Amino acid sequence: MSLLEVRRSIEQGQPVVTRNLFDRQNPSFAEIFVEALAEMEKLECRYRAFEVSEGQVLTVPEGYYQLTAERLRNMITARQISLEHQRQVGEFEDRDPT
């Protein structure tokens, strides 16, 4: 996307970035994105980021969960805990009961 396209999207109130936060193809995207949000907050840039479920289309932003750097960090942490729990459960289930 060119800078002109980014600017046009912003002016029209259209999304600039539409991505899966947690994607096996690019597992570090959420961490990169949270740093970008944190930097924008530090620089006092106005932004609005929303979590839109897969298959949904962003319509009226007020109907979606608004993301901040802190909220996204919490989501990343919760996901890491969940993945670790799943890994531990999987290891437990794979153990030989004898």
Side-chain angles (χ1 to χ4, degrees):
M1 180 178 271
S2 72
L3 186 55
L4 180 61
E5 291 171 316
V6 169
R7 184 177 176 150
R8 191 174 298 132
S9 291
I10 292 169
E11 289 171 350
Q12 295 174 355
Q14 298 297 316
V16 175
V17 176
T18 305
R19 276 296 291 271
N20 288 333
L21 286 172
F22 303 106
D23 184 349
R24 290 179 189 216
Q25 300 295 332
N26 190 355
S28 62
F29 176 74
E31 287 85 3
I32 294 167
F33 190 58
V34 76
E35 292 307 318
L37 295 181
E39 189 64 26
M40 286 190 287
E41 290 173 8
K42 186 172 108 181
L43 295 171
E44 298 180 1
C45 294
R46 293 183 324 166
Y47 75 88
R48 295 190 318 165
F50 299 95
E51 178 185 19
V52 180
S53 297
E54 192 169 334
Q56 286 185 319
V57 176
L58 181 67
T59 53
V60 180
E62 289 71 27
Y64 300 94
Y65 185 71
Q66 189 163 0
L67 295 177
T68 62
E70 180 182 2
R71 288 178 177 174
L72 183 50
R73 278 191 190 100
N74 290 341
M75 291 170 68
I76 292 168
T77 299
R79 183 172 186 273
Q80 290 169 337
I81 290 169
S82 175
L83 290 173
E84 178 60 23
H85 177 73
Q86 290 174 38
R87 186 188 64 75
Q88 289 174 356
V89 167
E91 287 178 359
F92 179 74
E93 289 175 347
D94 289 342
R95 290 186 186 154
D96 186 5
T98 58

